C-alpha cells in the first residue's frame, strides 16, 4: 500500500495472549523495517495485526503521529485513512474528560473513543458494537481498522467515503484499501459499501451497517495477478507502466464497439437521456483533468455540444449551471479522489447525469454515477499517472462517440471509422516507445536545467500542461505549460539564453495553419536564446531547422495526437528525475490517491 502514502508507516500485532505490540516510524518503509529488526521480529508474531502507510493530513510526518494510534491504556490500536472532520470537537470532549492525547492527529481521537465505548455503557465488552457507536459519531471520510488486546481474535474495519476491500483467503482474511495488498494471497474479494463495517474473526467475516443490521458487501474476483502489480524487471513501476501503454489502450477499447455501436460498461440512464444531453462538463483533477481538456476538442467537434472542463476542486464551489440535461463526465483513475467524488455528488444533487470514467472497478465514483466506462489500464502503482492517462483519453473519446451516436451527429459508419482509428493507436504508441532511448539521453542532458517551458496548440496544449505536470511532480523542477499563442501575451518574457522549451507540434498536413503559426512561435523563442526540443510528426521537415532536438512521433489523426505526443514527455520527466537522484515512483509530498479535499 506504500504508493498511497509514504511519509511514515507502522504495524500493530496481537499475539493472542493479550499483548498488543506496536512499532511506528517516520519516513519510508525501510525505516520501519529497520526498527522491527532492532526490536526483534519475533516480538511481532501473532495471528491478527495491521499495518499502515501514511500520507499526513493532521500533524507532521513524525514518529508519534504515525499510525497505528492507541488509547491511553494501549489496549486499542487504530489505523485510519481520510479525515475526521469533527475531530476538534471530539478532541475537546476527550480532553475535558481528562484524556491525554499524545499526537496531533484526528485518528487518535477514534482510538480513545473506541476504548471508552468498550469500557462502559451498552457497548461494554463488545468491540464491533463499540466501533459502530464511534463510527456513528464521526463526520467526514474515513476507513478505520481497529483491534483490542482483549479481543485477540477480532479485527474490525469500517468505511465511509473511503475505500475498503476484504480479501477472503483460505483460513485467513484481509482488509485493505486496495486489493494489491493481498493479491499475493487471494483473488476473492468483497468490496464494502458506504457506512458498512466488517468483523473479521477465525470463522471468516461478517458485514453489517453502522447500526449492526446485516449488510451485503459486493463479492468480486480480482481479474489481474501479482505480476501486474510487480515491477517485472524494471527499475521503477512508472517505467514499466509507460511501456504498458499500448496494452492499456487496447484493453480499454476492447468490447466497446459491438454490433456497430459504441457500448458503455454500465448504463443506469436511458438512451433518451443521452440523446437529451445539451451540455457536457468534464470534472477531474491533475492528469485526469488534462485528459478532459483533450476530450473537449473531440466531443465538441463530434457532437456539436458545448463542453466545459473543470477542476473538480473548483466545480462545486462556483454554482455551475446544471440540470437534468447536463452530462457530467467524472474522470478518475482511482475512482476515489475526494474532490472528484464531491463534484459528482454536487452534480447529482442538481439533477445532472453523471458518467464516470474510472480505472478501478467498483470504486466510489462509479458506484455513485449514472453510467460508467472503465479504463482497463491495469493497476497503476507509480504515483505519476501514465498509462491511466492515455487510457482516460481513449475512454473519453468513446464517451464522445457514444454521445455522437445517441444524438445522431455522426452516422454509424463515421462512428465505426473513428473507432477503427482509435484501434490503430496501440500500434502507434508502440512505435513511439522506440524513441525512449533518444529521449532518455536527452533527459540526462537536461537534468541541471532550472526550469522548462512546454508549448502546444489545439490538442497539443493539454499535452504541454501534462508534460509540465510530470516534470514538476517527478523532478521537482519549475515547469509551465502554455498555449503557444499566449506566449506573446506575457510568458515570452521568461525566455532567456539556454532555457529548454519543449514544443508539441501539430501535424503539418492535418493542421497546416496551426503548424505554420507554431513554427513562427518557435523561431521567435529560438531568436531569444531558447533551446528548443520539438515533438513533431515523422517527416515534418519544415520544423527541423528550428529544433535543437527533434523527437519524431508517428503521423496519426489530429485528435488522437495526444496519445503519441505525451509518451516522450513522460519518459523525459522520468529520466530527468532519475538523473537528479529522485524516486520516480514516490515523488515527495504526493500520494497516488488523494482521498482528502
Ligand atoms: C499526476 C497524477 C495526479 C492524478 C490526480 C487525479 O501524475 O497522477 O494529478 O491524475 O490526482 O487522480 P485520479 O485520476 O485518481 O482521480
Amino acid at each position: 500500500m506504500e504508493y498511497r502514502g509514504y511519509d511514515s508507516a507502522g504495524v500493530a500485532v496481537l499475539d493472542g495472549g493479550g499483548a498488543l505490540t506496536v512499532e511506528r516510524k517516520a519516513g519510508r518503509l525501510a525505516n520501519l523495517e529497520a526498527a522491527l529488526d532492532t526490536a526483534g521480529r519475533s516480538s511481532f508474531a501473532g495471528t491478527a495485526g495491521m499495518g499502515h502507510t501514511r500520507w499526513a493530513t493532521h500533524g507532521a510526518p513524525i514518529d508519534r503521529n504515525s499510525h497505528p494510534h492507541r488509547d491511553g491504556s494501549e489496549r486499542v490500536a487504530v489505523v485510519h485513512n481520510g479525515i475526521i472532520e469533527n475531530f476538534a470537537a471530539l478532541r475537546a470532549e476527550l480532553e475535558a474528560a481528562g484524556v491525554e492525547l499524545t499526537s496531533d492527529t484526528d485518528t487518535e481521537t477514534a482510538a480513545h473513543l473506541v476504548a471508552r465505548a468498550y469500557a462502559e455503557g451498552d457497548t461494554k465488552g463488545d468491540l464491533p458494537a463499540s466501533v459502530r457507536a464511534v463510527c456513528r459519531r464521526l463526520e467526514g471520510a474515513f476507513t478505520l481498522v481497529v483491534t483490542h488486546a482483549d479481543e485477540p481474535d477480532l479485527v474490525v474495519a469500517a468505511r465511509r467515503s473511503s475505500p475498503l476491500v476484504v480479501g477472503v483467503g483460505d483460513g485467513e482474511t484481509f482488509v485493505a484499501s486496495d486489493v494489491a495488498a493481498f493479491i499475493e494471497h487471494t483473488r476473492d474479494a468483497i468490496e464494502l459499501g458506504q457506512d458498512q463495517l466488517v468483523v473479521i474473526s477465525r470463522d471468516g467475516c461478517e458485514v453489517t451497517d453502522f447500526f449492526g443490521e446485516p449488510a451485503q458487501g459486493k463479492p468480486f474476483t480480482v481479474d489481474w495477478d501479482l505480476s501486474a502489480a510487480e515491477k517485472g524487471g524494471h527499475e521503477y513501476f512508472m517505467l514499466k507502466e509507460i511501456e504498458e501503454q499500448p496494452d492499456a489502450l487496447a484493453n480499454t477499447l476492447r468490447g466497446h464497439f459491438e454490433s456497430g455501436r459504441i457500448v458503455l460498461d454500465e448504463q443506469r440512464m436511458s438512451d433518451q437521456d443521452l440523446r437529451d444531453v445539451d451540455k457536457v462538463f468534464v470534472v477531474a483533477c491533475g492528469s485526469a483533468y488534462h485528459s478532459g481538456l483533450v476530450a473537449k476538442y473531440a466531443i465538441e467537434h463530434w457532437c456539436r455540444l458545448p463542453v466545459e472542463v473543470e477542476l473538480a476542486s473548483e466545480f462545486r464551489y462556483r454554482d455551475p449551471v446544471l440540470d437534468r440535461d447536463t452530462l457530467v463526465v467524472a474522470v478518475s483513475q482511482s475512482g476515489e479522489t475526494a474532490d472528484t467524488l464531491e463534484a459528482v455528488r454536487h452534480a447529482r444533487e442538481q439533477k445532472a447525469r453523471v458518467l464516470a470514467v474510472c480505472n478501478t472497478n467498483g470504486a466510489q465514483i462509479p458506484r455513485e454515477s449514472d453510467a460508467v466506462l472503465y479504463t482497463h489500464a491495469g493497476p497503476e502503482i507509480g504515483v505519476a499517472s501514465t498509462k491511466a492517462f492515455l487510457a482516460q483519453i481513449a475512454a473519453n473519446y468513446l464517451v464522445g462517440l457514444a454521445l455522437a451516436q445517441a444524438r445522431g451527429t455522426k452516422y454509424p459508419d463515421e462512428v465505426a471509422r473513428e473507432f477503427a482509428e482509435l484501434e490503430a493507436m496501440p500500434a502507434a504508441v508502440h512505435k513511439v516507445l522506440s524513441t525512449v532511448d533518444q529521449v532518455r539521453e536527452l533527459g540526462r542532458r537536461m537534468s541541471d536545467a532550472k526550469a522548462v517551458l512546454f508549448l502546444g496548440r489545439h490538442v497539443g496544449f493539454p499535452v504541454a500542461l501534462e508534460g509540465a505536470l510530470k516534470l514538476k511532480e517527478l523532478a521537482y523542477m519549475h515547469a509551465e505549460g502554455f498555449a503557444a499563442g499566449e506566449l506573446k501575451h506575457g510568458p515570452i518574457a521568461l525566455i532567456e539564453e539556454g532555457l529548454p522549451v519543449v514544443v508539441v507540434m501539430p501535424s503539418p498536413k492535418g493542421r497546416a495553419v496551426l503548424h505554420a503559426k507554431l513554427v513562427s512561435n518557435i523561431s521567435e523563442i529560438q531568436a531569444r536564446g531558447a533551446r528548443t526540443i520539438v515533438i513533431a510528426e515523422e517527416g515534418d521537415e519544415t520544423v527541423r531547422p528550428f529544433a535543437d532536438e527533434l523527437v519524431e512521433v508517428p503521423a496519426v489523426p489530429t485528435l488522437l495526437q495526444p496519445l503519441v505526443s505525451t509518451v516522450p514527455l513522460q519518459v523525459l520527466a522520468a529520466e530527468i528525475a532519475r538523473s537528479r537522484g529522485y524516486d520516480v515512483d514516490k515523488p515527495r509530498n504526493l500520494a497516488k490517491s488523494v482521498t482528502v479535499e
Side-chain angles (χ1 to χ4, degrees):
M1 291 296 85
E2 208 184 356
Y3 73 91
R4 301 178 73 92
Y6 36 83
D7 59 35
S8 54
V11 290
V13 178
L14 289 168
D15 75 352
L20 173 70
T21 318
V22 172
E23 186 63 80
R24 317 179 289 178
K25 276 281 163 258
R28 297 287 166 91
L29 267 183
N31 297 358
L32 176 65
E33 284 180 299
L36 293 179
D37 286 337
T38 310
R41 295 222 175 199
S42 55
S43 54
F44 288 86
T47 54
M50 62 175 87
H52 186 260
T53 60
R54 176 170 188 246
W55 185 81
T57 59
H58 292 67
I62 51 177
D63 289 356
R64 74 183 161 82
N65 287 335
S66 310
H67 300 210
H69 286 280
R70 282 166 291 180
D71 68 312
S73 67
E74 304 201 336
R75 305 296 289 163
V76 173
V78 173
V79 297
H80 162 227
N81 290 339
I83 291 181
I84 298 169
E85 283 171 3
N86 57 336
F87 101 101
L90 296 171
R91 197 179 167 101
E93 175 189 313
L94 287 164
E95 280 170 345
V99 173
E100 194 190 331
L101 288 107
T102 56
S103 78
D104 312 312
T105 66
D106 49 346
T107 307
E108 192 190 344
T109 55
H112 292 287
L113 291 170
V114 170
R116 290 163 72 86
Y118 188 82
E120 60 201 21
D122 297 349
T123 51
K124 185 171 178 181
D126 185 338
L127 186 61
S130 303
V131 178
R132 282 185 203 106
V134 172
C135 286
R136 292 197 297 269
R137 298 197 60 200
L138 302 182
E139 289 167 18
F142 53 85
T143 296
L144 290 172
V145 182
V146 184
T147 57
H148 195 300
D150 293 353
E151 305 275 4
D153 286 344
L154 287 187
V155 174
V156 181
R159 73 164 290 235
R160 172 181 291 157
S161 297
S162 221
L164 182 63
V165 278
V166 181
V168 184
D170 184 9
E172 52 186 359
T173 311
F174 308 85
V175 284
S177 302
D178 186 338
V179 293
F182 53 70
I183 186 76
E184 191 180 341
H185 305 282
T186 179
R187 289 209 216 171
D188 295 327
I190 302 171
E191 180 199 316
L192 250 60
Q194 184 72 334
D195 284 11
Q196 287 185 351
L197 174 143
V198 63
V199 181
I200 293 171
S201 65
R202 277 182 193 279
D203 305 325
C205 65
E206 199 184 329
V207 180
T208 68
D209 66 13
F210 285 176
F211 294 90
E213 293 300 319
Q216 287 290 315
K218 196 171 141 200
F220 66 103
T221 306
V222 184
D223 60 3
W224 44 269
D225 60 16
L226 185 61
S227 65
E230 287 181 334
K231 287 183 198 156
H234 289 77
E235 188 186 352
Y236 288 105
F237 281 109
M238 182 184 170
L239 305 179
K240 168 174 166 265
E241 287 160 2
I242 287 173
E243 284 191 11
E244 286 171 347
Q245 295 187 107
D247 287 344
L249 285 177
N251 293 339
T252 298
L253 297 174
R254 186 167 301 127
H256 286 298
F257 190 65
E258 301 279 332
S259 312
R261 289 184 65 76
I262 300 287
V263 282
L264 305 174
D265 286 307
E266 292 169 22
Q267 196 174 325
R268 296 177 279 269
M269 58 197 278
S270 68
D271 287 348
Q272 186 62 42
D273 292 335
L274 268 186
R275 257 192 296 285
D276 288 345
V277 168
D278 63 11
K279 184 168 49 164
V280 178
F281 279 97
V282 183
V283 293
C285 306
S287 294
Y289 166 74
H290 295 156
S291 84
L293 291 175
V294 173
K296 176 180 167 80
Y297 294 87
I299 301 177
E300 287 182 344
H301 179 61
W302 291 337
C303 310
R304 310 311 304 145
L305 277 172
V307 180
E308 285 189 46
V309 189
E310 284 263 352
L311 291 166
S313 52
E314 291 293 318
F315 176 75
R316 75 194 173 108
Y317 295 108
R318 66 157 191 89
D319 204 8
V321 182
L322 301 163
D323 60 33
R324 59 179 62 249
D325 293 332
T326 311
L327 182 70
V328 173
V329 181
V331 187
S332 174
Q333 187 282 130
S334 59
E336 55 178 279
T337 298
D339 287 317
T340 312
L341 178 59
E342 290 306 328
V344 165
R345 288 178 174 162
H346 179 75
R348 295 201 75 209
E349 273 161 23
Q350 308 289 311
K351 305 280 179 270
R353 318 275 173 180
V354 176
L355 190 161
V357 170
C358 181
N359 196 42
T360 312
N361 232 295
Q364 197 65 23
I365 291 172
R367 286 165 74 105
E368 296 196 19
S369 299
D370 300 289
V372 185
L373 187 63
Y374 283 110
T375 48
H376 292 280
E380 192 177 64
I381 310 286
V383 161
S385 188
T386 52
K387 61 177 181 173
F389 174 69
L390 255 62
Q392 281 163 349
I393 295 178
N396 293 347
Y397 283 160
L398 292 178
V399 171
L401 291 177
L403 276 171
Q405 163 184 283
R407 294 167 49 76
T409 50
K410 276 210 171 287
Y411 289 115
D413 61 321
E414 292 173 313
V415 173
R417 205 165 46 240
E418 298 289 355
F419 187 80
E421 285 180 346
L422 271 171
E423 276 191 308
M425 293 313 294
V429 172
H430 193 74
K431 199 164 170 202
V432 186
L433 290 172
S434 63
T435 64
V436 162
D437 288 344
Q438 180 202 351
V439 177
R440 288 178 85 163
E441 195 268 322
L442 173 61
R444 287 192 282 278
R445 281 189 279 124
M446 284 171 68
S447 65
D448 58 354
K450 298 224 167 15
V452 180
L453 301 188
F454 291 76
L455 303 180
R457 293 186 87 127
H458 192 257
V459 287
F461 170 41
V463 173
L465 295 177
E466 176 64 8
L469 176 61
K470 288 278 105 64
L471 196 56
K472 278 182 243 198
E473 66 182 329
L474 295 172
Y476 321 147
M477 204 182 250
H478 183 72
E480 290 297 330
F482 294 108
E486 274 294 288
L487 212 58
K488 306 185 185 59
H489 302 285
I492 199 163
L494 291 170
I495 307 286
E496 58 186 23
E497 195 61 38
L499 178 83
V501 180
V502 178
V503 187
V504 182
M505 288 299 293
S507 161
K509 294 181 227 73
R511 290 275 150 184
V513 175
L514 271 187
H515 183 274
K517 291 199 191 311
L518 245 170
V519 170
S520 309
N521 295 147
I522 305 180
S523 76
E524 287 154 15
I525 55 172
Q526 220 182 21
R528 288 162 178 80
R531 179 172 156 220
T532 59
I533 296 129
V534 178
I535 316 291
E537 192 173 293
E538 277 164 353
D540 182 349
E541 292 307 322
T542 332
V543 81
R544 194 175 283 276
F546 302 98
D548 294 315
E549 309 279 351
L550 183 66
V551 179
E552 292 188 306
V553 293
V556 298
T558 293
L559 286 171
L560 304 185
Q561 216 206 0
L563 295 172
V564 290
S565 50
T566 303
V567 180
L569 306 190
Q570 298 167 337
V571 177
L572 188 69
E575 193 58 33
I576 295 177
R578 279 177 84 229
S579 310
R580 290 163 75 105
Y582 301 142
D583 182 339
V584 171
D585 284 337
K586 301 189 197 77
R588 70 183 178 204
N589 303 340
L590 293 174
K592 182 75 183 158
S593 291
V594 186
T595 51
V596 292
E597 277 187 72

